[in-house]
Amino acid sequence: MNTIEKFDKHIMHSYGRYPLVMQKGEGERCTDENGKTYIDLGSGIGTNSLGYCDEKWADAVCNQVRTLQHSSNYYYTGVQAEFAEKLCETSGYDSVFFGNSGAEANECAIKIARKYSFDKYGKNRHNIITLINSFHGRTMATLSATGQDVFHNYFFPFLEGFINVTANDIDDLKSKLDDTVCAVMLEYVQGEGGVNALSQDFVNSVYDLCAEKDVLIIADEVQTGAGRTGKFLAGEHFGKKADITTMAKGLAGGVPVGACLTTEKCSGVLSAGTHGSTFGGNPIACAGGIAVLERINGDGFLGEVNAKAEFIRKELEKCSEVESVSGLGLMIGIKLKTKTASDVAKKALENGLLILTAKDKVRLLPPLTISAEELGDGIRILIDILEE
Ligand SMILES: Cc1ncc(COP(=O)(O)O)c(C=O)c1O
């Protein structure tokens, strides 16, 4: 049996996959089992933030594997302490809980918001407002939080206590922000929802209204965080800092990690025994995370991310098939005039280019470290397909 046949036989069919068997990767390119190479402008949905097998990152991870691969959270490890310190310093937050994925980070955020409110105001103030078209994960709570009906099938009953409002509609938010609400949860740029940034006015109003009522703001930066948008956190573009921010994807460069960051206000909400995760704060993930943070904090790193983002946007604007380009930094959505995003992604694969889609758009999440040359080649392939 070949690899695809083994997948078909033994792995649940919960993903629609492209017919590509990845074997190895280096920098911005991966190689399939037949030796064909691909420029990857998707980076594992923004997870391989430093590209494939970055040398310093790989050294850090491998050294950690050979030193201490796991410790239960009954004990302390230096590597988790260092990652937490660096992450809090870089993000400006006070404390963090580590899990293993974006959904887990969001679960933690939901629990913190509800307990913060319960501790201070008692019962019946547990509702969380989320935005239509949002995506917050695949666990029962995060699916319930996700503001897309398409995700609300089969798995009934969903968790109670999530109220959806239309993104960028301040009146809708005002009408639903009553005394039962403990938090508003948002993505500054909705990734899976189609790479749509919130408006500054809407974000301002959310912050103002929530401050008046001591309603917490949870920023889901699972996709937008860790330098993806050209700032460490996308909230910085809006001049805002949420009470709780969640991160995952690119934060540890490809080893599983989730982080739920809080300001001082919520740092003490989770007391001993109220939350936990066997693998959370795993030393290997933390070593990967430290390597990513050291790189992002290096001189000029985010400046280069922004320069590359500008290059892509300028090139795409010249393309006659492109209707519009959305997103922030290296989180890019491309609305097409006549072609479908899924056809373009299939064609790109044939031509040695990996790209993503989000709703009806082509989506690019290149490695933050992609070289100008490989980026230029990748965009050329894409534009040639679009103009065919
Ligand atoms: C904004 C956002 N939140 C949460 C998630 C869920 O993350 P994970 O798949 O790591 O659980 C995703 C994944 O795409 C995401 O984009």
Side-chain angles (χ1 to χ4, degrees), residues 45 100-104 106 135-138 187 191-192 220-223 248-249:
I45 322 187
N100 311 286
S101 65
E104 279 181 65
N106 286 335
F135 183 79
H136 297 298
R138 299 284 193 158
E187 298 157 89
E192 304 305 307
D220 177 345
E221 295 236 24
V222 165
Q223 195 163 146
K249 291 204 186 284

Side-chain angles (χ1 to χ4, degrees), residues 294-351:
E294 281 175 349
R295 193 67 65 82
I296 292 177
N297 286 329
D299 276 351
F301 186 93
L302 291 176
E304 279 180 32
V305 168
N306 286 313
K308 285 181 254 196
E310 208 177 304
F311 165 78
I312 298 177
R313 280 162 209 279
K314 279 204 175 121
E315 290 301 302
L316 289 172
E317 271 165 23
K318 290 187 243 162
C319 174
S320 55
E321 171 62 13
V322 172
E323 168 102 30
S324 59
V325 182
S326 63
L328 273 176
L330 283 180
M331 183 171 178
I332 292 170
I334 309 166
K335 196 166 171 53
L336 303 174
K337 287 185 181 154
T338 61
K339 293 188 160 59
T340 68
S342 62
D343 285 348
V344 171
K346 280 183 206 141
K347 191 81 206 200
L349 186 74
E350 285 169 24
N351 292 6

Side-chain angles (χ1 to χ4, degrees), residues 283-294:
I284 303 166
C286 290
I290 292 168
V292 168
L293 292 181
E294 281 175 349

Side-chain angles (χ1 to χ4, degrees), residues 46-351:
T47 299
N48 294 333
S49 46
L50 305 183
Y52 288 100
C53 306
D54 174 84
E55 224 170 286
K56 280 195 181 142
W57 173 87
D59 283 346
V61 168
C62 292
N63 286 338
Q64 189 58 51
V65 172
R66 292 180 194 288
T67 314
L68 179 75
Q69 86 279 23
H70 178 74
S71 151
S72 86
N73 280 306
Y74 290 131
Y75 309 109
Y76 298 90
T77 63
V79 69
Q80 188 175 156
E82 190 185 335
F83 183 35
E85 183 182 43
K86 278 202 161 62
L87 183 54
C88 286
E89 275 170 15
T90 306
S91 63
Y93 278 89
D94 291 289
S95 62
V96 60
F97 178 90
F98 289 121
N100 311 286
S101 65
E104 279 181 65
N106 286 335
E107 288 274 343
C108 181
I110 291 164
K111 285 177 76 173
I112 291 175
R114 287 191 170 171
K115 186 165 182 302
Y116 171 87
S117 188
F118 177 81
D119 290 347
K120 211 164 161 185
Y121 301 101
K123 282 188 175 167
N124 299 325
R125 193 177 180 274
H126 56 256
N127 285 328
I128 297 179
I129 289 184
T130 64
L131 303 185
I132 290 172
N133 230 12
S134 58
F135 183 79
H136 297 298
R138 299 284 193 158
T139 60
M140 285 306 294
T142 57
L143 267 186
S144 306
T146 292
Q148 298 188 52
D149 288 341
V150 64
F151 289 105
H152 298 159
N153 292 311
Y154 319 122
F155 309 114
F156 305 101
F158 288 90
L159 205 70
E160 281 177 32
F162 293 96
I163 298 168
N164 296 147
V165 309
T166 305
N168 296 327
D169 185 337
I170 295 160
D171 292 334
D172 195 19
L173 176 75
K174 271 188 191 158
S175 71
K176 290 170 181 159
L177 193 63
D178 60 21
D179 292 343
T180 67
V181 174
C182 65
V184 173
M185 186 168 181
L186 52 81
E187 298 157 89
Y188 291 107
V189 184
Q190 295 186 330
E192 304 305 307
V195 200
N196 297 313
L198 297 181
S199 74
Q200 180 76 53
D201 279 354
F202 181 72
V203 172
N204 289 346
S205 298
V206 172
Y207 273 77
D208 290 348
L209 290 167
C210 288
E212 276 171 28
K213 292 171 170 265
D214 193 21
V215 168
L216 298 176
I217 295 176
I218 303 170
D220 177 345
E221 295 236 24
V222 165
Q223 195 163 146
T224 53
R228 172 57 52 194
T229 67
K231 305 260 189 205
F232 184 70
L233 292 174
E236 296 169 48
H237 287 284
F238 295 84
K240 301 293 182 202
K241 183 173 164 190
D243 302 290
I244 305 172
T245 283
T246 57
M247 301 180 72
K249 291 204 186 284
L251 180 58
V255 278
V257 74
C260 178
L261 293 150
T262 62
T263 58
E264 208 179 346
K265 184 170 171 179
C266 297
S267 289
V269 172
L270 293 181
S271 48
T274 53
H275 198 47
S277 160
T278 297
F279 286 112
N282 170 273
I284 303 166
C286 290
I290 292 168
V292 168
L293 292 181
E294 281 175 349
R295 193 67 65 82
I296 292 177
N297 286 329
D299 276 351
F301 186 93
L302 291 176
E304 279 180 32
V305 168
N306 286 313
K308 285 181 254 196
E310 208 177 304
F311 165 78
I312 298 177
R313 280 162 209 279
K314 279 204 175 121
E315 290 301 302
L316 289 172
E317 271 165 23
K318 290 187 243 162
C319 174
S320 55
E321 171 62 13
V322 172
E323 168 102 30
S324 59
V325 182
S326 63
L328 273 176
L330 283 180
M331 183 171 178
I332 292 170
I334 309 166
K335 196 166 171 53
L336 303 174
K337 287 185 181 154
T338 61
K339 293 188 160 59
T340 68
S342 62
D343 285 348
V344 171
K346 280 183 206 141
K347 191 81 206 200
L349 186 74
E350 285 169 24
N351 292 6

